[in-house]
Amino acid sequence: MIPNSSVPASNPSAVARSIRKSLLRMVHHANASHVGGGLSIADVLAHLYGGVLRVDPSRPNDPERDRLILSKGHTAAALYATLAERGFFPSEWLDHYGEEHSPLTGHTNHLVPGVDASTGALGHGLSLGCGIALAMQRDRRPARAFVVLSDGELDEGSTWEAALFAGHHQLEGLIAIVDYNQIQSFGNVCEILDLEPLADKWRAFRWQVVEIDGHDHDQIAGALARLPAKAGSPTVILARTVKGKGVSFMEGELLWHYRSPDGAQLERALRELDDSP
Amino acid sequence: MNIGKSIGLELGQSTRFAFGEELAALGDVFPTLVVVDGDVGNSTRTEVFGKKYPERFFNAGIAESNMVSMAAGLALSGHISVASSFAAFLTCNAYDQIRMGVGFPHANVKLVGSHCGISIGEDGPSQMGIEDLALMSSIPQMVVLAPCDGVSTRALTRKMLEYVGPVYMRTGRPDVPVIYKDGAAALEIGTANRVREGKDATIIACGLMVAIALEAAAELAKRGVECRVLDMHTVKPIDRAAIVAAARETGAIVTAEEHLLDGGLGSAVARVVTEEAPCKMAFVGVRDTYAESGKPEELLAKYGLTTAEVVAAVERAKR
Ligand SMILES: [Mg+2]
């Protein structure tokens, strides 16, 4: 049983801690993978759902809502924990993550209230976001499309097809956030397919680039408060993050892309999070 | 094109031209309709819509994967979206995007692939869509359409836009004979249309092969074999009742398609026959090969998509 959280949404640091704790319990319970990438994006998700996204949990299908595509669909547990935190569905649902008959499938599932698109095959999210932003631009509607990308999925060519399109069509309602945690499935990003100079690449595709520390709450809040970063351009926020952030023995460790914490590891991780400032 | 001449069929529009004109004609009927194209709008004929409704038409560039997911994003935002390119590039390049962005969420996206089959001719095998029916049939709940002439293409274009959910429609390059000279407004998605009556065997065809099937039926009639011919314009969901009736009432079924024999019309019909009403069958289609460049009718002859082949297949199935 994952206890209900009663953290006020106004404190993103506390919300992020709660997301991390739920995420760890879910991944442990389901014996699932990808806890590291969930921990790295938790702070950004806490801010997005803590007041940046114009969404209403009582009207999850409001046509005028902002959309969020978690293109790195393997970290669905972090998004589910965030949505439960925000009140899109009862937090008891989190207890059944990855189980049969639960809508909370291992990778992001559009059948879950508050989830805008199914993902899990990498390299699709930015294109979905392009379509949404294009529709809103054409229809002169204010809704925005946020897309959370992993660094690893920047290997996918389709991501750059979308980047090219968005830059050309000046989709200022499209905001990409790269969870730049430096690790992908098989090792370090810089050793597998180095993305650097990454900011230059986005600029060359006519995007406005904002670089932040993806765990610094002031920097996250600052970047998300000024969107689009430049009128007439899509914005990309390159969030430098640490895979496994918040749990000392998971930080920067490729192992936790795959491994599920056992009972003792879970207890230790939760204790560390409770003790953190 | 000489197909259909021997039985008095008149040459009409290509299915891609009919689609393009009808799409543009329906722009006011479907005000939420938007169209994206993979920089081949002059070939797929979506440019007709683009010229009439420039604010509702987007050229995605030569980037089919992005185009399909964008179409899904447009559908998520309340639009009916049509995404179009050559059948080969649309269904092969963007298959993963179709699966995740269109199929799984049951998005209201209409995929239209032109230049299907080998009758595109001189441009050669890289441009030929001969696996599109198999690929699109393998997407759960995808409707798969393969109209046979310009008239029925127009009717099915409207039905496709009325239907809520994912649809794939293939269109062809060459002008083709008119099958529905009296109109096709009565066609319904999922219901085969009997274009010739007969009691001795049934030829189930789609696309260009319907005209060839009718020629074969005329030839067989001279030999005393009366064939029923079904225009199976909807490959999925396949009209099970029409197939079962054909098996029970005529005792032999031949399928004919401008597609690989793997996973297309013939496979779908065979499954129904095997499950519900086993009878002898024979199959006409592209046999486990890529084609080459050439004149459309020469290619059809070389790869066995001819009247004579359909006649021979009926005789095999009757044996
Ligand atoms: Mg990573």
Side-chain angles (χ1 to χ4, degrees):
Chain A
M1 175 73 193
I2 296 161
N4 240 320
S5 163
S6 56
V7 177
S10 56
N11 182 346
S13 163
V15 173
R17 180 191 329 213
S18 183
I19 292 168
R20 287 192 166 95
K21 288 169 69 178
S22 295
L23 161 67
L24 283 157
R25 289 193 189 98
M26 291 163 73
V27 171
H28 164 74
H29 178 75
N31 194 24
S33 298
H34 307 306
V35 66
L39 292 168
S40 65
I41 197 62
D43 293 309
V44 168
L45 287 174
H47 281 266
L48 283 169
Y49 283 92
V52 173
L53 290 173
R54 300 171 196 134
V55 291
D56 177 354
S58 67
R59 301 174 65 214
N61 298 318
D62 181 352
E64 303 314 323
R65 72 192 184 281
D66 283 343
R67 307 319 200 257
L68 180 122
I69 314 287
L70 183 70
S71 193
K72 42 175 285 180
H74 51 285
T75 57
L79 179 61
Y80 298 154
T82 309
L83 291 170
E85 194 77 29
R86 186 75 171 79
F88 278 89
F89 51 82
S91 53
E92 287 74 26
W93 287 22
L94 301 179
D95 298 353
H96 303 288
Y97 167 66
E99 287 177 11
E100 224 179 317
H101 307 304
S102 164
L104 306 188
T105 50
H107 288 66
T108 319
N109 188 325
H110 65 278
L111 300 174
V112 176
V115 172
D116 290 310
S118 288
T119 51
L122 295 174
H124 297 195
L126 198 59
S127 301
L128 287 166
C130 260
I132 294 164
L134 184 64
M136 298 304 164
Q137 182 188 67
R138 201 208 79 84
D139 301 344
R140 297 188 179 81
R141 292 152 67 189
R144 302 167 295 176
F146 291 76
V147 181
V148 176
L149 301 158
S150 69
D151 43 16
E153 78 173 311
L154 301 187
D155 296 353
E156 296 275 6
S158 51
T159 298
W160 297 103
E161 292 181 8
L164 189 60
F165 186 94
H168 177 90
H169 288 273
Q170 306 182 331
L171 298 180
E172 67 173 25
L174 180 62
I175 298 102
I177 301 168
V178 178
D179 182 12
Y180 200 178
N181 62 23
Q182 321 280 341
I183 294 177
Q184 59 188 92
S185 325
F186 215 68
N188 294 322
V189 169
C190 63
E191 291 163 4
I192 292 164
L193 278 179
D194 194 356
L195 297 169
E196 291 300 330
L198 185 54
D200 289 347
K201 286 188 175 67
W202 288 98
R203 283 190 200 103
F205 283 72
R206 303 189 199 167
W207 285 60
Q208 188 66 22
V209 180
V210 181
E211 295 185 82
I212 61 167
D213 174 339
H215 302 303
D216 181 312
H217 290 285
D218 292 336
Q219 289 190 32
I220 299 169
L224 293 175
R226 287 183 290 276
L227 293 173
K230 182 181 162 205
S233 296
T235 302
V236 60
I237 298 172
L238 300 182
R240 295 219 173 241
T241 57
V242 174
K243 200 145 179 161
K245 176 71 179 179
V247 178
S248 62
F249 58 94
M250 294 183 178
E251 288 188 359
E253 291 292 335
L254 173 64
L255 187 66
W256 295 98
H257 188 80
Y258 301 101
R259 181 171 284 187
S260 181
D262 63 23
Q265 288 164 330
L266 174 66
E267 286 314 308
R268 187 177 154 202
L270 294 176
R271 214 177 315 120
E272 281 190 20
L273 285 165
D274 280 331
D275 292 345
S276 66
Chain B
M1 180 166 286
N2 292 308
I3 292 167
K5 266 193 188 155
S6 71
I7 52 171
L9 297 180
E10 281 182 24
L11 199 60
Q13 242 180 345
S14 65
T15 50
R16 65 188 170 114
F17 269 75
F19 157 72
E21 288 179 11
E22 190 65 12
L23 187 69
L26 292 171
D28 290 342
V29 179
F30 299 95
T32 65
L33 172 63
V34 292
V35 177
V36 290
D37 193 281
D39 203 33
V40 284
N42 54 337
S43 298
T44 61
R45 305 309 300 156
T46 59
E47 75 167 5
V48 187
F49 182 94
K51 283 184 176 148
K52 190 171 170 193
Y53 301 101
E55 77 290 355
R56 290 159 64 182
F57 177 81
F58 307 101
N59 187 338
I62 308 165
E64 296 81 12
S65 299
N66 182 54
M67 174 180 76
V68 166
S69 294
M70 281 208 308
L74 287 158
L76 277 177
S77 309
H79 289 280
I80 303 171
S81 59
V82 168
S84 193
S85 181
F86 280 33
F89 313 137
L90 179 66
T91 65
C92 299
N93 186 303
Y95 185 81
D96 190 21
Q97 280 74 15
I98 293 170
R99 165 183 170 263
M100 281 299 295
V102 180
F104 183 33
H106 204 69
N108 201 15
V109 174
K110 318 303 172 186
L111 304 163
V112 180
S114 71
H115 294 64
C116 73
I118 62 174
S119 61
I120 72 162
E122 290 81 354
D123 277 345
S126 69
Q127 316 294 300
M128 294 172 176
I130 57 172
E131 54 283 273
D132 57 326
L133 298 179
L135 288 169
M136 293 302 96
S137 294
S138 73
I139 300 287
Q141 303 297 315
M142 177 77 80
V143 170
V144 178
L145 303 174
C148 66
D149 73 352
V151 182
S152 58
T153 299
R154 287 173 186 272
L156 289 169
T157 297
R158 177 186 271 267
K159 298 284 178 189
M160 170 177 81
L161 297 176
E162 287 171 350
Y163 175 85
V164 179
V167 180
Y168 172 72
M169 181 164 77
R170 74 184 330 212
T171 64
R173 178 168 184 258
D175 291 343
V176 287
V178 178
I179 307 294
Y180 291 92
K181 64 180 195 308
D182 300 324
L187 286 190
E188 293 292 344
I189 289 175
T191 305
N193 189 46
R194 217 179 274 194
V195 290
R196 183 183 172 113
E197 298 291 349
K199 61 183 186 339
D200 300 325
T202 301
I203 307 167
I204 300 179
C206 63
L208 175 61
M209 297 308 290
V210 173
I212 292 174
L214 285 169
E215 278 191 335
E219 178 62 32
L220 284 156
K222 291 181 201 158
R223 307 179 192 181
V225 178
E226 289 297 336
C227 287
R228 178 182 299 179
V229 178
L230 297 182
D231 170 18
M232 194 63 85
H233 49 76
T234 305
V235 175
K236 188 184 174 184
I238 198 112
D239 186 344
R240 298 181 74 92
I243 296 168
V244 170
R248 294 205 175 124
E249 292 163 19
T250 73
I253 291 178
V254 166
T255 63
E257 62 197 301
E258 199 187 351
H259 184 273
L260 288 167
L261 285 180
D262 309 86
L265 174 68
S267 301
V269 171
R271 183 152 65 86
V272 176
V273 168
T274 311
E275 282 177 345
E276 299 204 32
C279 72
K280 286 268 287 194
M281 288 191 71
F283 304 89
V284 175
V286 181
R287 288 185 178 268
D288 203 24
T289 184
Y290 293 99
E292 58 199 272
S293 289
K295 296 212 180 326
E297 288 187 272
E298 290 172 8
L299 287 174
L300 291 168
K302 172 156 186 180
Y303 293 95
L305 305 180
T306 59
T307 302
E309 288 287 343
V310 175
V311 168
V314 170
E315 287 176 340
R316 276 203 308 281
K318 291 281 302 166
R319 243 182 250 136

